Every structure is written in C-alpha cells, then in structure tokens.
Amino acid sequence: MRREFPQQTRGFVIDVAEYAESDKLVTLYSRNHGRITAIAKGALKSKRRFVNKLEPYTFLLLFYQPPRSGSGLYLIKKAELLDAHLAIRLEYRRYVAATHFGELVLRFTREHDPDPALYTLIHWTLHALSTTAFPFKISVFSYIKLLTLLGYQPELTVCGQCRQVVHAERTYTLHPGSGSLLCPICHSRSSQTPLPQLSVQTVRVLARAQSTPLDRLQRLHLSARNISEALEALHIYAVALLQQDIHSWRTLRSLNTGG
C-alpha cells in the first residue's frame, strides 16, 4: 500500500548535532515511533522552516518522511513549535537537569519502540522543569518514574534480605545489583562496599512517588537532604543496570544543592 507524504507526529527533541555543512541530526522521542533519529536538511541555514524549533527539549509537531530501510534516517520536512520549554535553556540548573534526564532516556530506550507512558513522562518532566523553582526535585521524581516504567522499580518497603518493614529507627542502602533496600545489619553482612545512606524519610517519599500520579507528584515534599540522598542512590543503581557511565551526572551532582 502506498504511503502519503509527509506523515506527521508529535515529539520531544532529546538531542541535536550538526551534520555536514548545513544539516542537523535530531534525536526525538515521538508519540508514534518512540525514539527516532532524523535529519533536517539545511537546518543550520534555515531562516524559516526550522529556526528556533530544532533545539533541545522543544515539543514539536513534525512533518516527516520515513526511512526507506529500518536503519535509515527519518527526513524532517517541516516542524511546528508546540512548546519551546524556553526556561530550560535560559537557566543552567534546569538545563542540566533536562540533559541528565535526556541522557537516561537515550541510554535506557531503543529506537522504534514506542511507549505511551514514557512519552507522557517526558512531557511531564520537560513541562515541570520549565515551570518549577526546584529542578533537582523533578530529577528525583522523573528518575524513579522512569525506572518504574522500564521494569526496574526498586523495592522500597522492606529490607530485601531480612524482609523487615522499613521503620524510623534505621537508615538504609539501595543495593545496586538487586534494586532492593538493605538495613544496616544486612548490608554489613552482605557487602563491604560503602553505599549512600538513605534516611527513612527519603525511602518513604521515593516509595510514594512510585505510585503517585504525575499530576500530584510535586505535592510530595523532598528536603535538600532527601534530594541528595535519592539522586546518589538512584545514580549508582542506574549505572549498575546500564553497565556504563552517565556522563551528565558529574555536572548535576556538582550543582545539586537540594533544588
């Protein structure tokens, strides 16, 4: 059956790179196709079709031609700007938080594997990072939601070994190999590797965030300490899952002062 061109979809720009003398390579997470790589011919010199549109973290309506082969590039014919998320590019902390989230999306996903829930999470995260005064709080929530969507939901209600319910008299660690909590006694028995300590408050907020709808997430309270603890533990867990470094982490960590 013959396809009509151009086709259209909505999507979020995750990464942009220059290509040749005048083109751009754009990585997007689209509603119809999931993560895709597309080329915008002449975008570096465009004064009408693509100006201020093919920028990191914009939300676009794309008109495109699909690749002729499974490994080919999509060809962007035109783009309409739906939301620039300009605040992300105007404030460094917001930009770093978005870059870190974007890198997680790139590393944890495959091309041509659409997930409506992940598309919704990306939409929520970029909007929240554009409007909140506390971007690293959003980083924590988007991190735990992403891991949950991908099937790597940490177990945060009991110790993974002794199975005792989390209670206020203890601190915990998140075991990077299993994604389960360890109480101090079980951690000392099973590992000599130091791991970030999680207060009970941090553990409980993360556990609530796993099941809280996106539109209510920002009602959950995270202190500066909670944010730092959560990001450290989730980073170590994600690196263990990916078996590779997350390059944007160092910058995010250096900027993180709790919000």
Side-chain angles (χ1 to χ4, degrees):
M1 180 179 296
R2 184 179 177 181
R3 297 180 181 178
E4 296 183 359
F5 300 121
Q7 298 181 40
Q8 60 179 289
T9 188
R10 296 186 176 204
F12 301 91
V13 176
I14 304 298
D15 192 31
V16 182
E18 294 183 6
Y19 184 77
E21 294 184 0
S22 62
D23 306 336
K24 281 186 176 182
L25 282 180
V26 186
T27 303
L28 308 108
Y29 199 93
S30 68
R31 179 190 293 273
N32 299 60
H33 308 291
R35 180 163 63 88
I36 60 173
T37 304
I39 188 167
K41 295 284 189 179
L44 292 174
K45 297 181 179 179
S46 170
K47 295 183 179 179
R48 294 185 60 185
R49 285 192 305 154
F50 300 124
V51 64
N52 298 325
K53 297 174 182 177
L54 302 180
E55 303 295 334
Y57 318 120
T58 53
F59 180 33
L60 303 173
L61 175 61
L62 293 166
F63 298 85
Y64 66 94
Q65 180 175 321
R68 294 182 179 179
S69 65
S71 59
L73 297 173
Y74 287 73
L75 176 62
I76 300 175
K77 307 293 285 185
K78 186 174 71 169
E80 293 182 4
L81 188 64
L82 300 176
D83 194 332
H85 295 128
L86 188 59
I88 291 176
R89 300 197 298 280
L90 292 179
E91 184 181 328
Y92 189 52
R93 292 191 311 155
R94 297 178 197 264
Y95 187 82
V96 169
T99 300
H100 181 258
F101 178 70
E103 184 176 356
L104 292 175
V105 171
L106 290 175
R107 292 186 182 276
F108 273 111
T109 60
R110 301 174 297 176
E111 290 206 338
H112 312 299
D113 186 19
D115 183 336
L118 179 53
Y119 178 88
T120 300
L121 176 61
I122 294 171
H123 197 167
W124 177 86
T125 299
L126 295 180
H127 176 74
L129 288 176
S130 298
T131 56
T132 185
F134 306 103
F136 299 137
K137 176 181 176 180
I138 302 303
S139 294
V140 173
F141 291 147
S142 59
Y143 217 144
I144 195 70
K145 284 294 193 183
L146 179 64
L147 291 170
T148 299
L149 283 177
L150 296 171
Y152 301 119
Q153 177 170 322
E155 184 181 29
L156 297 171
T157 57
V158 297
C159 173
Q161 292 193 6
C162 68
R163 308 308 294 177
Q164 290 191 23
V165 175
V166 168
H167 56 84
E169 287 74 24
R170 291 179 172 177
T171 59
Y172 292 83
T173 55
L174 182 65
H175 191 275
S178 64
S180 60
L181 290 178
L182 291 178
C183 68
I185 295 174
C186 292
H187 179 241
S188 64
R189 290 173 178 171
S190 64
S191 175
Q192 300 300 316
T193 303
L195 292 170
Q197 298 292 304
L198 295 171
S199 66
V200 170
Q201 183 185 13
T202 302
V203 170
R204 287 177 174 168
V205 174
L206 287 177
R208 286 185 63 190
Q210 288 177 330
S211 58
T212 298
L214 290 175
D215 61 355
R216 298 181 183 177
L217 266 181
Q218 293 196 62
R219 300 179 187 177
L220 301 181
H221 175 70
L222 281 173
S223 68
R225 175 184 174 185
N226 299 150
I227 292 170
S228 295
E229 289 178 354
L231 288 175
E232 289 278 353
L234 293 173
H235 170 71
I236 292 173
Y237 180 41
V239 168
L241 291 171
L242 293 167
Q243 291 297 296
Q244 55 183 297
D245 196 15
I246 300 167
H247 300 304
S248 55
W249 165 245
R250 184 175 297 180
T251 304
L252 185 145
R253 186 185 190 191
S254 70
L255 290 174
N256 175 36
T257 57

